């Protein structure tokens, strides 16, 4: 059973429950539109509100800038049951400060700056049921600080700086959250909480768990041991039949042994993110019949045929996939960076076995294993490319089907080796048993390998109703992206520069890389990227706090795939640039040869000393004066550090110093 008590009542109910008596005596800068409740939000006052009516039961004083409390602040508030002091600037809790609040049930002190909890910080709160102290700076708690809280049901201490946890003797405690502290694994003597239902120990750096402690909880329903240093599945969990929610994410457990989960059939929520999983077995459908939410983010999944069952299972069972955008394929390259849940069945590339009889043709998708021991009346054929006929006139295969033969409708689907049709093309079997690629609009060719220019009516660049994007990305090569940020800079004429943040959404390493670009550079090329990957690129004004005014796009680098004939597919732009370059080179070679021949003939005729010495390097070429080639623009070159999260650059960056080709100091913006 999971307890959840909202501490902030919905604002929509204010107008329905209105107390005239409270409204007449409402403290300054507060609202009193809910019966028996006072709501003080962002008053920017370092002191508690005064003249609170004695009949008040719920007092919300959060984000007010309150720096200190005294017992006088709560005099004549014996009826108060709920006190929310979160998001203030409290640094300490004086002893006995809450003693006048003898009826208090709920106390929220989260997101303050409290450093120490003294022995008498909660004196007089014998009826307290929920105490929230998370997101403070608490370093120490007096061993007797919680002794008087015998009715406590929930205690939240996550996100502090605790190194030692006092022993808790709380017979009614149901929820304990200790995440993201530095305390050791608690033992049976540390937690005497026999009714505990929810225990959260994530982010403590634990290398082991006290199995005697976990075994003592007979009513434990929720366990979070994520982001620790556990190298193996805790053995005590193999018998934890009552668990409803379990998080193992971010532990270096190595290969998961799914038999460890056989007795956890009651699980409704499971988080196995960041465990280096490359696949999921189809037995999950039987292991967790009651599963409602599954989180498998940050795993380097191989999206092959053995994973084709997964998206359909999520849809059929209506299972919510947590952190969907962070659950992406890592392999094969064709699927790298794609969201796993959104892949269609054909994109997993399951091989096809064709069964041929004298009357009909049947197609069945099978796991990738060799076909052996086939009956003599059938033949299995694995097609290699569209030009091959699945049925050839040979001693080992029957003749092609006659026009009167029928082809099973199941054949009219993907029927070829994985990824043979490029750019999203679909493989198709015609009535003669031949394969061809059906190409998407904008692509053509035998294998859909040619990308055509979009149709004129699809160009919305001149449509005034479609706003011009602030950032655009153009693929230059398989490992570089050209960013056009001139629109972003034009809309912000006073910014000092642009902070570019990009990260690879494909694979396990999603750490963000940062670049600072001067506003004088409306274009920038990011180099050294991983081919066939999906990248998130964001721009924000340099020097602004946080992610203010941030604009993001997603783009992909293409893969250097081999075509079915063995040729490598390259960027069409490179081909367009390469052909003129090769032509010019050939022209220069021919000119040099012609000059060499002319010189040789001249020498032969002179029969002695030469009147003219011919050197091809001294000739003037058309369009160039004095035989000088134009100087290349200086390129500031940084070493490629793709593996280390770096980049190549073509211009001086604001945070990096690169050595120029001519050994001169690189340029440095004046505002760096």
């Amino acid at each position: 059973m999971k307890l959840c008590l909202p501490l902030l009542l919905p604002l929509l109910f204010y107008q329905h429950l209105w107390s005239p008596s409270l409204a007449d005596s409402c403290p300054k800068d507060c609202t009193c539109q809910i019966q028996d409740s006072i709501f003080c939000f962002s008053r920017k006052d370092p002191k508690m509100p005064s003249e609170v009516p004695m009949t008040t039961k719920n007092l919300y004083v959060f984000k007010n800038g309150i720096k200190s409390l005294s017992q006088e602040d709560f005099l004549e508030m014996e009826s108060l049951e709920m006190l929310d002091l979160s998001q203030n600037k409290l640094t300490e809790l004086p002893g006995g400060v809450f003693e006048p609040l003898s009826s208090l049930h709920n106390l929220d002190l989260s997101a303050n700056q409290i450093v120490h909890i003294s022995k008498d910080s909660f004196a007089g709160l014998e009826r307290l049921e929920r105490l929230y102290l998370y997101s403070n700076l608490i370093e120490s708690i007096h061993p007797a600080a919680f002794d008087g809280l015998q009715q406590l049901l929930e205690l939240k201490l996550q996100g502090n700086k605790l190194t030692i946890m006092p022993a808790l003797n709380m017979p009614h405690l149901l929820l304990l959250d200790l995440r993201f502290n530095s305390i050791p694994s608690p033992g049976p003597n540390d937690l005497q909480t026999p009714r505990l239902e929810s225990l959260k120990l994530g982010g403590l750096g634990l290398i082991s768990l006290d199995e005697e402690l976990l075994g003592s909880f007979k009513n434990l329903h929720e366990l979070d041991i994520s982001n620790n240093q556990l190298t193996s599945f805790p053995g005590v969990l193999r018998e934890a039949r009552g668990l409803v929610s379990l998080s193992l994410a971010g532990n270096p457990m190595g290969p998961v042994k799914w038999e460890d989960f056989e007795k956890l059939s009651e699980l409704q929520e499971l988080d196995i993110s960041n465990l280096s999983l490359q696949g999921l077995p189809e037995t999950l459908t039987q292991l967790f019949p009651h599963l409602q939410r599954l989180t498998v983010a940050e795993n380097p999944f191989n999206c092959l045929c053995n994973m084709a069952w997964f998206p359909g299972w999520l849809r059929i069972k209506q299972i919510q996939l947590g952190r969907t955008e962070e659950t992406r394929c890592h392999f094969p390259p064709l699927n790298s960076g794609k969201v796993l849940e959104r892949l269609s069945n054909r994109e997993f590339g399951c091989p096809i076995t064709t069964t041929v009889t004298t009357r009909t043709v049947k197609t069945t998708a099978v796991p990738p294993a060799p076909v052996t021991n086939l009956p003599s009346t059938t033949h299995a054929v694995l097609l290699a490319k569209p030009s091959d006929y699945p049925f050839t006139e040979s001693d080992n295969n029957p003749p092609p089907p006659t026009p009167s033969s029928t082809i099973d409708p199941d054949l009219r689907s993907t029927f070829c080796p994985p990824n043979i049709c490029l750019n999203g093309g679909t493989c198709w079997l015609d009535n003669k048993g031949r394969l061809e690629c059906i190409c998407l609009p904008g692509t053509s060719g035998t294998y859909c390998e040619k990308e055509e220019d979009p149709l004129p009516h699809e160009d919305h660049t001149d449509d005034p109703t479609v706003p011009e994007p602030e950032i655009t990305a153009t693929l230059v090569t398989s490992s570089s992206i050209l960013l056009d940020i001139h629109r972003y800079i034009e809309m912000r004429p006073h910014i000092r520069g642009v902070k570019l943040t990009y990260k690879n959404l494909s694979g396990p390493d999603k750490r963000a890389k940062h670049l600072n670009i001067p506003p004088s550079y409306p274009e920038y090329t990011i180099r050294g990227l991983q081919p066939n990957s999906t990248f998130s690129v964001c721009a924000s004004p340099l020097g602004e706090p946080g992610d203010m005014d941030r604009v993001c796009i997603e783009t992909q680098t293409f893969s250097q795939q081999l075509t079915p004939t063995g040729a490598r597919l390259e960027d069409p732009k490179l081909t367009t640039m390469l052909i003129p370059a090769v032509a010019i080179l050939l022209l220069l070679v021919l000119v040099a040869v012609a000059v060499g021949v002319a010189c040789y003939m001249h020498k032969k005729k002179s029969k002695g000393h030469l009147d003219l010495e011919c050197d091809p390097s001294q000739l003037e070429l058309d369009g160039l004066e004095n035989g000088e080639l134009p100087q290349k623009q200086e390129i500031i070159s940084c070493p490629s550090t793709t593996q280390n999260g770096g980049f190549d650059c073509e211009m001086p960056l604001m945070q990096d110093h690169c050595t120029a080709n001519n050994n001169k100091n690189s340029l440095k913006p004046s505002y760096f």
Side-chain angles (χ1 to χ4, degrees), residues 363-507:
T363 301
T364 308
V366 297
V371 181
T372 60
N373 300 328
L374 293 174
S376 58
T377 56
T378 61
H379 299 269
V381 181
L382 185 61
L383 303 181
K385 53 187 178 181
S387 61
D388 293 340
Y389 286 86
F391 320 118
T392 60
E393 297 181 4
S394 65
D395 295 334
N396 297 325
N397 291 309
T402 62
S404 60
S405 301
T406 60
I407 296 181
D408 192 281
D410 292 339
L411 273 176
R412 300 195 179 278
S413 59
T414 304
F415 189 79
C416 54
N419 310 331
I420 195 166
C421 296
L422 306 177
N423 294 318
T426 304
C427 197
W428 183 263
L429 181 70
D430 64 15
N431 289 330
K432 295 183 179 181
R434 294 177 298 191
L435 295 178
E436 61 177 334
C437 288
I438 306 300
C439 302
L440 294 177
T443 62
S444 62
T446 305
Y447 309 101
C448 307
E449 71 275 12
K450 300 178 181 178
E451 296 188 28
E452 302 172 352
D453 294 332
L455 296 176
H457 67 272
E458 295 179 347
D459 186 5
H460 300 289
T461 55
D462 298 330
D463 188 351
T465 62
V466 179
E468 182 182 352
E470 297 185 27
I471 306 177
T472 58
T474 304
L475 302 183
V476 181
T477 69
S478 61
S479 60
S480 60
I481 297 175
L482 174 64
L483 294 179
D484 185 345
I485 55 175
H486 81 276
R487 177 68 175 168
Y488 185 88
I489 297 174
E490 287 176 356
M491 297 179 66
R492 299 158 183 83
H494 303 295
I495 59 175
R496 297 173 50 219
V498 179
K499 177 182 178 183
L500 289 180
T501 303
Y502 69 98
K503 60 181 179 179
N504 189 349
L505 301 179
S506 311

Side-chain angles (χ1 to χ4, degrees), residues 3 69 75 111 120 127 132 168 170 277 356 393 398 415 421 532 535 549 558 560 563 571 592 629:
L3 295 178
L69 297 174
L75 295 177
D120 298 319
R127 296 186 181 183
Y132 297 167
L168 300 180
M170 298 179 178
L277 301 176
V356 182
E393 297 181 4
F415 189 79
C421 296
N532 201 10
F535 288 85
D549 201 10
F558 60 82
Q560 295 180 339
T563 65
D571 188 357
L629 295 176

Side-chain angles (χ1 to χ4, degrees), residues 306-319:
N306 56 358
M307 284 282 289
W309 64 274
F310 185 68
W313 175 62
L314 295 177
R315 290 189 294 268
I316 294 173
K317 294 297 183 180
Q318 297 183 345
I319 297 173

Side-chain angles (χ1 to χ4, degrees), residues 599-650:
C599 290
Y600 175 75
M601 296 300 293
H602 183 78
K603 289 178 182 179
K604 192 172 182 180
K605 290 181 179 180
S606 63
K607 299 180 181 180
H609 299 288
L610 295 177
D611 298 330
L612 175 65
E613 293 185 358
C614 298
D615 186 354
S617 63
Q618 302 297 323
L619 297 180
E620 294 184 9
L621 300 181
D622 292 340
L624 300 178
E625 297 180 359
N626 301 324
E628 296 181 357
L629 295 176
Q631 293 185 355
K632 293 183 181 180
Q633 183 179 1
E634 178 184 347
I635 295 180
I636 309 299
S637 176
C638 294
S640 178
T641 54
T642 305
Q643 299 300 326
N644 300 325
F647 48 87
D648 290 338
C649 56
E650 287 185 347

Side-chain angles (χ1 to χ4, degrees), residues 522-544:
E523 292 185 349
Y524 182 75
T525 301
I526 303 177
R527 299 184 181 277
L529 302 177
Q530 185 71 26
N532 201 10
S533 300
T534 301
F535 288 85
S536 172
V537 183
C538 299
S540 56
L542 185 66
E544 296 291 344

Side-chain angles (χ1 to χ4, degrees), residues 141 253 400 484 574 600 660:
I141 299 177
M253 289 186 175
D484 185 345
L574 293 180
Y600 175 75

Side-chain angles (χ1 to χ4, degrees), residues 101-330:
L101 307 178
S102 56
S103 299
L104 196 66
H105 294 315
N106 308 297
L107 177 59
D108 188 350
L109 294 165
S110 63
N112 278 279
Q113 302 169 17
I114 303 171
V115 177
H116 174 69
I117 302 297
S118 65
K119 177 182 178 180
D120 298 319
S121 292
F122 306 113
L125 300 180
E126 287 83 4
R127 296 186 181 183
L128 194 66
E129 295 179 349
R130 294 168 185 84
L131 176 59
Y132 297 167
L133 292 166
Y134 59 87
S135 298
N136 276 279
L137 305 174
I138 301 175
E139 298 177 353
S140 60
I141 299 177
H142 191 279
F146 301 133
D147 284 356
L149 308 180
Q150 294 298 300
Q151 301 301 317
L152 203 64
L153 301 177
E154 297 183 12
L155 177 60
K156 296 186 177 183
L157 289 164
Q158 69 268 29
N160 283 288
K161 298 183 177 181
L162 291 171
T163 56
I164 299 177
M165 181 66 195
L168 300 180
N169 183 8
M170 298 179 178
H172 300 287
L173 192 67
L174 300 178
L175 183 149
L176 176 61
D177 195 338
L178 301 174
R179 292 174 297 165
F180 302 106
N181 283 283
S182 300
I183 61 177
S185 179
N189 295 329
D190 299 322
L191 298 183
Q192 299 181 30
T193 54
R195 297 187 181 182
L196 198 65
E197 295 182 356
S198 177
L199 177 61
K200 301 184 178 183
L201 302 175
L204 299 182
L206 305 179
I207 59 175
S208 63
L209 295 177
D210 192 304
E211 297 198 355
E212 182 182 355
L213 171 68
L214 294 180
S216 67
F217 299 130
K218 305 303 180 183
N219 201 32
L220 192 65
H221 297 329
E222 181 179 13
L223 178 63
D224 183 351
I225 51 176
S226 62
N227 299 300
N228 284 295
Q229 298 299 318
L230 303 175
T231 57
S232 61
F233 188 87
V236 67
L237 297 184
R238 297 188 183 98
E239 303 296 329
R241 299 175 182 269
L243 275 183
V244 175
S245 177
L246 174 63
S247 178
L248 301 169
N251 281 287
M253 289 186 175
V256 174
K257 299 179 181 178
W258 296 104
E259 55 268 24
D260 293 334
F261 295 84
E262 287 180 351
K263 295 184 179 180
L264 302 180
S265 58
E266 298 300 319
L267 278 180
Q268 298 178 14
E269 297 184 9
L270 177 62
D271 189 345
I272 47 177
S273 300
N274 196 17
L275 293 185
S276 299
L277 301 176
Q278 296 184 4
L280 297 171
E282 196 167 357
T283 53
L284 257 64
T285 58
Q286 287 80 39
L287 280 176
F288 309 118
H290 304 293
L291 200 63
Q292 298 178 4
R293 179 180 174 85
L294 177 64
T295 306
V296 291
E298 295 186 86
N299 283 301
F301 285 119
N302 292 341
C303 297
L304 301 173
C305 185
N306 56 358
M307 284 282 289
W309 64 274
F310 185 68
W313 175 62
L314 295 177
R315 290 189 294 268
I316 294 173
K317 294 297 183 180
Q318 297 183 345
I319 297 173
Q320 181 183 1
L321 185 64
R323 299 169 65 187
T324 302
E325 293 297 327
E326 300 173 65
T327 308
R328 296 177 180 253
C329 299
H330 180 64

